[in-house]
Amino acid sequence: MKDYDVCVIGSGAGGGPVAYTLAEAGYRVLVLEKGPWFTEKDFFKDEIVCCRRSVYTPELKDERHVLETPDGGGSWSAEPTSESGWDFWNGNCVGGSSNFMSGFFLRLKPDDFRLRSTYGAIAGANVVDWPIGYDELEPYYDKVEKLVGVSGKALPHPHADPRSSPDFPFPPTLEHPLADWLDRSCRDLDLHPLPTPRAILPAPALGRQGCAYSGYCGSYGCATGAKGSARAALLDKALASGRCELRPHSMVARLVGDARGQIAAVEYFDKDGRKQRVDARIYVVACQAVETARLLLRSTGPRHPKGLANRHGQVGRNLLFSAGGSGSGDLPYDHFTARQVDELKVFGPFLNRTLQDWYVIDDKALGGRVKGGSVEFLFQHPNPINRADRLKWGEDGLLWGEPLKRKLKAYFTGASHLRFEAFCDWLPTDDCRISLDPEVRDRWGLPVARVRAGYHPHDLKVGEYLAERSRAVLEHLGCVDVRSFVSGDPPSNLQAGGCRFGRDPKTSVLDPDCRAHGIDNLYVSDGSFMPTGGSVPYTFTIYANAFRVADQIVADLGGVRASRVKDRTG
Amino acid sequence: MQRRQFIIGSLGVALASTIPLRAVQAHVGAAAPESLLTPHAVRVLGSVLEGLLPGAPEGPGARDINATGYVLGILAHPRTPDSERHYLREGLLWLDELTPAASFETLTARQREEILRSFAASERGEAWLANLLGYVFEALFGDPAYGGNPGGVGWRWIEHQPGFPHPTPDKVYGKL
Ligand SMILES: Cc1cc2nc3c(=O)[nH]c(=O)nc-3n(C[C@H](O)[C@H](O)[C@H](O)COP(=O)(O)OP(=O)(O)OC[C@H]3O[C@@H](n4cnc5c(N)ncnc54)[C@H](O)[C@@H]3O)c2cc1C
Ligand code: SF4
């Protein structure tokens, strides 16, 4: 008999729904997580822990990536992240990066599932349709809204996504007074501002506390449990079922294949660096896109000499980040009345406004009808140390002394600082992919991932289009010093692709159920499956798809166990 | 070599100086690393920090936020990489080399500023000062649990609202 029914590798947004669903269905689940296990009691608003040292992520000297970026001359320059400081880890602890997300939860839209047939091919991009449609994922978006907890308000707008439930199960989180200003500004410009759906409970529900509106959400762990991390929303419940076991500090080194090419066991290093082995009937990989491809590539064996599910060299290809850009603008207090300034200075509630008016762009300048994206408006992150660290640079170099102090004082006390983030498709290309580095190893002696992070020039055009229009919104609102930044630099926290799903094993790694082609007992349930990314942050879709995959695994194992059916019917 | 000895000493000596050392004690406890800064180097460091963040009239200065103690805490912290310790010390040596005859901390404020300027004119000098400023900001705006920003003086200066919950002493960086 196998040790477990299901072994899930990685405890974040991709792993949580599988552990939850399988444990609920009566199966014995083991979750292996490389990082430590923090709970609500360990999360504080401590900028040094959150954002100045490696606490939730490994030290780069111990575990690094090698990043390849275009060198400007048609070639690539490679640099270990331990030297550049450009960190590709996002949250390596129980619950993964989902502990630290801001929780902007927007659905993909039907056209995102058929990008190729709707918008046609783009030279140099490997755009394909998904093997499933929006209809197949919609019930799972609905499930995430109810089970993980998504707050919002469904308003009609030109690109509204179809919904089976008329509205969100939880009302929007508390809103900052500036949301009203922004609404007026957008409407003046004939735009349709939407309350941003958030994976945040506005009030106690689902056995968790409501949001404390601390003002520090993204990048910080949640001390109340209101944020819908995989840990707070799903793993805690899976553990309470008594059928799920979670082992932190368990770095999976490789999946071991048997003589038939199926997975026979998992080898991992425990906290003391000892190698352990465990087996299960089904294995589910959810290490986040870069690490998932890395694990499959390094799991070689006689039947899988190039790594698992890599017979056709597809593992690691078509890696995606989120394209777009960002921008900022200031609202100087001396431009407003005392009452308005009081409103601007409110701290805690969310601004929470999204624009999707440009989700589809029909503009000759961009060559006709093309896929656009979403724009989020938010306050600058309140972290004072990191902000001061950026302000220390003046036009002529480093500032210090009185000039620096005057600049700090004016920045922090003279204005409110807004920003926007634009999300558009990061087109899949041959130049964005994962391989194993031939030389660099991590602290366990395992080859590290080499990330080639090339982008398609079309992404910048769309990003610039959105940025230009978002700048106009800020200007209309009264912002000064409005700027935007659009580049092909990969945002390392928004990763997907690398193991795309599809029907043809020659061009995809996973089948439409996210089972590895040719390996019946291996699934991938994080964002790696996505052949194209859509124009929203990925986590809502990762959660929804992982619930879909979990249902398939329950079916593989013979359906919900009889005892559980009895439990449920009482 | 002489200059090196001038700068690098033992924590025992540094502790004997008058610098407030809450930050050092908060993190290293009894286990002090072997070599840190001489009392002289601690004074040079203190003067550099005061140059970077002078006190009144405009807001708290390096002294008010215990910046020297904070940086000594960084040097002594078990998780600070040796390369960072080495770099912090090296910078003090470079700065001392730029200082004619007298020692940096004995100069007038104006003379110190001139030296900081010529130091920052070189790439390595500017990078070192920029790195040090990162620690100054941590001492100015970090949680008081780390030994800087006493009573939230830095936050009050910029009218900053810190978030809750604040870290407890047993769950700060290095102890989590
Ligand atoms: C600051 C920040 C803000 C964000 N905001 C948003 C947002 O507003 N909206 C949104 O949609 N998304 C957001 N995200 C992104 C979101 O967190 C991720 O998309 C999501 O968590 C990815 O899920 P995942 O399962 O792929 O990876 P993760 O959630 O990171 O989980 C992967 C887990 O696998 C573990 N692991 C890796 N390798 C191994 C191994 N070999 N053995 C064992 N365990 C392993 C990791 O330690 C990690 O815990 C944000 C991320 C960050 C960092
Ligand atoms: S309490 Fe609210 S604001 Fe604070 S981290 Fe949790 S979800 Fe974010």
Side-chain angles (χ1 to χ4, degrees):
Chain A
M1 183 168 147
K2 301 279 187 188
D3 300 333
Y4 296 89
D5 293 313
V6 179
C7 174
V8 180
I9 304 165
S11 67
V18 177
Y20 172 89
T21 307
L22 270 293
E24 281 288 301
Y27 292 98
R28 291 166 306 131
V29 180
L30 173 68
V31 181
L32 296 173
E33 166 55 52
K34 81 191 276 294
W37 192 342
F38 298 116
T39 72
E40 275 75 24
K41 293 192 182 69
D42 301 308
F43 291 131
F44 302 94
K45 303 308 171 192
D46 179 347
E47 187 179 350
I48 293 193
V49 162
C50 136
C51 307
R52 306 278 303 171
R53 307 282 188 277
S54 299
V55 175
Y56 305 134
T57 53
E59 298 272 4
L60 291 175
K61 69 175 169 39
D62 297 329
E63 296 177 59
R64 63 200 72 179
H65 296 95
V66 174
L67 183 64
E68 287 183 1
T69 46
D71 71 355
S75 193
W76 297 88
S77 60
E79 193 179 21
T81 52
S82 49
E83 277 163 38
S84 63
W86 191 348
D87 202 337
F88 271 66
W89 297 108
N90 295 302
N92 301 92
C93 53
V94 172
S97 329
S98 69
N99 285 295
F100 311 106
M101 65 178 177
S102 306
F104 297 136
F105 263 34
L106 294 154
R107 298 176 176 207
L108 293 178
K109 300 186 188 296
D111 278 358
D112 285 317
F113 294 71
R114 43 181 193 237
L115 206 58
R116 172 73 184 249
S117 38
T118 310
Y119 298 94
I122 293 183
N126 306 324
V127 178
V128 292
D129 288 352
W130 288 29
I132 63 168
Y134 178 84
D135 290 352
E136 281 157 273
L137 208 54
E138 200 287 334
Y140 294 99
Y141 279 127
D142 191 63
K143 184 171 194 166
V144 174
E145 288 181 359
K146 291 172 177 149
L147 213 67
V148 172
V150 182
S151 52
K153 174 125 200 73
L155 294 182
H157 71 96
H159 301 291
D161 23 66
R163 305 177 48 84
S164 52
S165 302
D167 207 342
F168 289 86
F170 302 96
T173 47
L174 282 185
E175 282 177 3
H176 192 280
L178 193 64
D180 271 349
W181 300 25
L182 198 62
D183 284 346
R184 283 196 297 273
S185 177
C186 289
R187 289 200 191 105
D188 283 352
L189 298 169
D190 281 334
L191 299 170
H192 303 77
L194 309 168
T196 310
R198 302 289 293 262
I200 295 177
L201 297 174
L206 304 172
R208 288 151 46 202
Q209 292 180 55
C211 179
Y213 301 101
S214 62
Y216 296 76
C217 196
S219 301
Y220 285 88
C222 179
T224 63
K227 192 190 285 188
S229 70
R231 179 187 50 77
L234 300 168
L235 293 172
D236 283 356
K237 291 186 177 126
L239 292 163
S241 75
R243 286 179 291 277
C244 177
E245 183 186 334
L246 203 161
R247 293 188 196 158
H249 300 290
S250 301
M251 167 67 180
V252 173
R254 67 185 191 112
L255 291 143
V256 186
D258 66 15
R260 293 182 307 120
Q262 302 299 297
I263 306 302
V266 164
E267 278 177 7
Y268 69 93
F269 290 100
D270 69 13
K271 194 174 184 182
D272 303 317
R274 282 188 304 248
K275 212 177 229 181
Q276 306 285 356
R277 199 178 165 107
V278 70
D279 64 18
R281 292 164 69 191
I282 289 185
Y283 301 84
V284 183
V285 180
C287 298
Q288 193 157 42
V290 168
E291 291 301 304
T292 287
R294 177 185 171 213
L295 176 57
L296 297 190
L297 288 172
R298 70 172 180 249
S299 296
T300 53
R303 296 293 302 267
H304 305 285
K306 293 198 291 180
L308 294 173
N310 198 29
R311 207 148 68 94
H312 299 286
Q314 292 298 309
V315 173
R317 290 193 168 267
N318 297 304
L319 178 72
L320 304 169
F321 294 96
S322 180
S326 61
S328 62
D330 301 338
L331 293 165
Y333 296 145
D334 57 8
H335 290 197
F336 299 97
T337 64
R339 201 180 54 82
Q340 287 173 315
V341 171
D342 284 346
E343 286 192 5
L344 284 175
K345 286 187 174 177
V346 167
F347 185 74
F350 299 103
L351 183 52
N352 264 4
R353 282 297 180 273
T354 302
L355 284 177
Q356 293 200 313
D357 291 74
W358 311 294
Y359 209 80
V360 177
I361 301 169
D362 204 346
D363 195 317
K364 274 202 220 103
L366 285 187
R369 197 163 178 273
V370 296
K371 208 14 229 316
S374 315
V375 181
E376 296 293 338
F377 290 88
L378 56 161
F379 282 102
Q380 288 283 12
H381 203 290
N383 274 351
I385 304 173
N386 280 344
R387 289 208 277 180
D389 228 9
R390 284 194 293 273
L391 292 167
K392 73 189 176 193
W393 296 103
E395 276 173 13
D396 299 321
L398 190 67
L399 293 176
W400 66 83
E402 291 300 340
L404 172 67
K405 290 185 80 178
R406 280 195 298 276
K407 188 174 177 190
L408 292 176
K409 180 78 176 174
Y411 175 87
F412 284 105
T413 64
S416 286
H417 305 278
L418 290 191
R419 56 183 266 115
F420 64 81
E421 285 179 9
F423 299 92
C424 50
D425 284 80
W426 179 281
L427 291 177
T429 70
D430 289 343
D431 284 333
C432 195
R433 60 172 196 251
I434 302 296
S435 55
L436 293 181
D437 193 273
E439 284 159 22
V440 182
R441 310 225 151 208
D442 67 11
R443 71 184 172 102
W444 295 278
L446 304 168
V448 308
R450 197 173 174 93
V451 184
R452 174 168 288 197
Y455 61 92
H456 196 289
H458 180 82
D459 301 349
L460 301 193
K461 283 193 212 156
V462 178
E464 190 45 59
Y465 188 95
L466 297 179
E468 193 183 321
R469 279 144 191 85
S470 309
R471 286 198 307 265
V473 172
L474 290 188
E475 276 158 7
H476 193 71
L477 186 71
C479 285
V480 299
D481 205 11
V482 176
R483 307 149 188 242
S484 58
F485 322 90
V486 176
S487 85
D489 289 347
S492 51
N493 64 338
L494 294 175
Q495 302 177 8
C499 295
R500 50 169 47 175
F501 75 158
R503 295 185 198 288
D504 183 354
K506 291 202 186 71
T507 56
S508 57
V509 176
L510 309 171
D511 73 11
D513 293 328
C514 292
R515 185 194 287 115
H517 284 301
I519 310 178
D520 294 341
N521 67 345
L522 175 64
Y523 285 83
V524 172
S525 69
D526 59 17
S528 309
F529 78 102
M530 296 172 78
T532 56
S535 306
V536 294
Y538 298 137
T539 315
F540 197 177
T541 301
I542 294 175
Y543 269 143
N545 186 62
F547 276 114
R548 186 182 72 91
V549 172
D551 276 356
Q552 182 57 46
I553 298 173
V554 171
D556 278 9
L557 289 171
V560 174
R561 283 220 161 129
S563 57
R564 290 303 295 152
V565 177
K566 225 165 63 201
D567 286 359
R568 283 179 187 175
T569 51
Chain B
M1 188 60 200
Q2 262 178 349
R3 277 191 186 270
R4 194 164 290 276
Q5 280 163 356
F6 208 37
I7 297 293
I8 302 168
S10 73
L11 183 69
V13 184
L15 283 172
S17 72
T18 56
I19 301 299
L21 287 160
R22 256 182 69 201
V24 182
Q25 286 147 355
H27 298 298
V28 289
E34 277 185 53
S35 68
L36 282 164
L37 298 181
T38 62
H40 164 75
V42 172
R43 285 194 298 275
V44 174
L45 174 67
S47 324
V48 175
L49 292 168
E50 275 166 40
L52 294 180
L53 196 76
E58 176 60 85
R63 250 176 228 267
D64 309 309
I65 60 166
N66 187 24
T68 309
Y70 186 84
V71 175
L72 291 177
I74 296 293
L75 279 162
H77 198 286
R79 288 180 61 180
T80 300
D82 281 343
S83 55
E84 180 69 7
R85 281 197 193 98
H86 181 74
Y87 182 57
L88 283 168
R89 287 189 204 127
E90 282 288 306
L92 290 174
L93 279 173
W94 301 332
L95 195 71
D96 219 47
E97 276 160 17
L98 280 180
T99 312
S103 176
F104 186 84
E105 90 276 15
T106 61
L107 305 176
T108 63
R110 179 186 289 237
Q111 287 168 322
R112 288 186 206 163
E113 177 65 15
E114 270 166 27
I115 291 189
L116 287 182
R117 270 185 201 293
S118 59
F119 191 35
S122 71
E123 214 174 289
R124 73 170 189 178
E126 188 180 53
W128 187 84
L129 289 171
N131 183 56
L132 190 62
L133 264 177
Y135 294 123
V136 170
F137 296 139
E138 289 183 1
L140 181 61
F141 299 137
D143 195 277
Y146 290 91
N149 190 14
V153 62
W155 291 334
R156 271 200 307 284
W157 174 52
I158 56 160
E159 298 166 24
H160 174 77
Q161 235 173 291
F164 290 93
H166 292 312
T168 50
D170 57 325
K171 290 195 174 167
V172 289
Y173 172 65
K175 295 191 176 163
L176 263 177

